[in-house]
Amino acid sequence: MTVTTFDPVSSVSLTASAQKYFASKLVKQPGKLIRLSTKESGCTGFSYVLDIVEAALEGDTVLAFGDVSLAVDSQSAAMLKGTEIDLVREGVNEVVKFKNPNVVAECGCGESFSVS
């Protein structure tokens, strides 16, 4: 497997709360990592996909955040450039939020987005 890298200033980032959340998900799954990708979905075009995986795929960019390794899908990297992943509390729920500077439109329910 070849792991590619790109400019960390413009890459995906995790807030401290998101890093803690993902670390708690991975603690009982040593050696696994989080993989971020997108898929065509919803009324505006794309949705985010987060998976716990055994290994990065060919061409993925792997970023390290303390105990959390995040693989970014090579085909989604351009639309995810500069995205910050956060964990926020909404009422009694905790929700993973994506702050993506490339998004030009989102659907009303927040489940899908489009980029320019």
Side-chain angles (χ1 to χ4, degrees), residues 26-78:
L26 294 171
V27 72
K28 294 181 181 175
Q29 302 183 60
K32 292 192 178 182
L33 57 138
I34 303 295
R35 185 166 190 271
L36 172 63
S37 60
T38 60
K39 67 177 182 178
E40 289 188 31
S41 178
C43 54
T44 54
F46 297 94
S47 64
Y48 300 103
V49 179
L50 288 169
D51 294 305
I52 296 176
V53 297
E54 296 284 337
L57 297 180
E58 182 73 32
D60 282 358
T61 300
V62 178
L63 306 168
F65 300 94
D67 294 338
V68 177
S69 291
L70 177 72
V72 179
D73 171 52
S74 62
Q75 295 182 356
S76 303

Side-chain angles (χ1 to χ4, degrees), residues 82-100:
T83 297
E84 178 186 73
I85 302 172
D86 195 8
L87 183 75
V88 297
R89 182 171 293 279
E90 292 182 351
V92 296
N93 298 313
E94 291 182 319
V95 180
V96 174
K97 292 284 188 173
F98 300 88
K99 297 174 187 170
N100 185 339

